[in-house]
Amino acid sequence: MRIPYIVGNWKMNIGFDEAYDFLEELNKIYTTEMTHNIRVGIALQAPLLVPMIAEFYDGNFLIGAQTCCDHLEGAYTGEISPVILAECETNFCIIGHSERRQYYNESDEAINTKAKLLLECGIEPIICVGETLEQFENNQTKEVIEAQIEKCCKDINISECVIAYEPVWAIGTGKSATSKIAQEVCHLIREKIRMMYPEDADNVIIQYGGSVNSKNIKELMACEDIDGALVGGASLKIDSFKELIKYGD
Ligand code: PEP
């Protein structure tokens, strides 16, 4: 059975005090108000990992990073090694987010390497894929997504990974993919994974991301191949994030 998994991506927002208040409240909500089985995670800025994990180690939610290096050590100034993430007890790490692909030239090959290194260090990779608006409008979604999955997920233990389908045109635009489109592409992803890893495809968690909010979460989560959400804007305030994680209540 695939347990729903909702992850907030704070990006380069939220400092120490706000993070502490948010996570304290999240922990309270998780322990007292949740009636359904769900995994919840927050990807925060790297310097917050140590203090927040120390404070909320026993919390009922997961704490993760937003990127990592494609090497374990060495002369890579400014990068974050999967080894140090593991030493900080980081639960998961987002890789291949479209902002990383767009602004920092992150390639499918580097994402594949990162996934392997994270797995080696015991950290769950959340592997993002998604087509641009131009590719969507040119009906290239299938070929783009299949190629991304093929390269990013090559020779990895897929059962320990999460895939996030994030159409670039839906991220931060307020224009979510319809549940029909999101389901179709998440299904396509599962079938592509089935071709690569026949025994694991039905167990892999596939999230949808792109302008998820309290109005569309229920419909998206009701789709057969959508097991969770990766959320940017609506994860920045505890009230809106709470509505997302309680979508089924
Ligand atoms: C994201 O950045 O991963 C994202 C999905 O952002 P938003 O929810 O704001 O569209």
Side-chain angles (χ1 to χ4, degrees):
M1 203 190 107
R2 303 194 296 263
I3 298 170
Y5 187 18
I6 295 185
V7 170
N9 172 17
W10 283 352
K11 310 190 185 191
M12 209 171 68
N13 299 295
I14 302 203
F16 184 93
D17 290 344
E18 211 185 331
Y20 180 86
D21 292 347
F22 184 112
L23 295 181
E24 193 176 46
E25 191 58 30
L26 179 60
N27 210 23
K28 247 187 258 161
I29 292 163
Y30 200 98
T31 34
T32 59
E33 296 183 31
M34 300 298 291
T35 60
H36 58 281
N37 194 9
I38 183 171
R39 286 206 300 157
V40 174
I42 295 289
L44 31 71
Q45 298 189 70
L48 291 178
L49 286 168
V50 172
M52 292 305 143
I53 290 171
E55 197 65 48
F56 296 102
Y57 187 74
D58 293 325
N60 292 294
F61 53 87
L62 305 166
I63 295 181
Q66 300 172 6
T67 186
C68 69
C69 189
D70 55 352
H71 294 85
L72 289 181
E73 63 178 0
Y76 301 100
T77 303
E79 287 288 344
I80 306 165
S81 167
V83 174
I84 198 79
L85 290 180
E87 284 178 358
C88 299
E89 316 260 11
T90 306
N91 300 120
F92 67 89
C93 181
I94 299 172
I95 50 176
H97 190 279
S98 68
E99 287 150 16
R100 300 290 316 174
R101 290 175 184 262
Q102 187 184 349
Y103 305 135
Y104 304 97
N105 299 320
E106 202 161 303
S107 67
D108 291 325
E109 289 72 20
I111 293 160
N112 180 245
T113 304
K114 291 179 187 202
K116 286 177 180 154
L117 297 180
L118 286 166
L119 290 169
E120 203 177 303
C121 294
I123 299 170
E124 173 184 75
I126 299 183
I127 302 170
C128 301
V129 295
E131 80 285 9
T132 63
L133 181 61
E134 193 185 354
Q135 291 163 337
F136 175 70
E137 287 176 346
N138 290 334
N139 293 319
Q140 292 172 308
T141 302
K142 184 174 187 302
E143 65 185 271
V144 169
I145 298 296
E146 284 185 345
Q148 288 178 340
I149 291 291
E150 190 158 333
K151 291 184 198 156
C152 296
C153 301
K154 194 172 165 214
D155 300 330
I156 58 176
N157 183 356
I158 197 75
S159 66
E160 309 266 302
C161 298
V162 171
I163 308 293
Y165 167 53
E166 297 211 303
V168 181
W169 46 270
I171 296 179
T173 59
K175 257 179 69 179
S176 170
T178 61
S179 56
K180 184 172 179 294
I181 293 175
Q183 160 59 23
E184 272 171 18
V185 182
C186 289
H187 180 70
L188 178 90
I189 290 171
R190 196 175 304 286
E191 292 314 302
K192 181 67 190 171
I193 292 172
R194 197 183 307 286
M195 286 168 70
M196 299 168 73
Y197 304 99
E199 284 169 16
D200 296 313
D202 285 328
N203 297 323
V204 173
I205 298 292
I206 303 177
Q207 299 173 325
Y208 165 76
S211 298
V212 175
N213 58 43
S214 58
K215 294 196 176 67
N216 58 25
I217 182 84
K218 206 166 173 178
E219 194 178 327
L220 287 162
M221 292 299 288
C223 297
E224 201 180 329
D225 288 290
I226 300 177
D227 310 310
L230 184 54
V231 186
S235 73
L236 294 176
K237 293 273 178 259
I238 188 65
D239 289 346
S240 52
F241 194 60
K242 171 176 160 176
E243 287 188 59
L244 297 187
I245 63 173
K246 292 182 75 180
Y247 71 92
D249 290 354

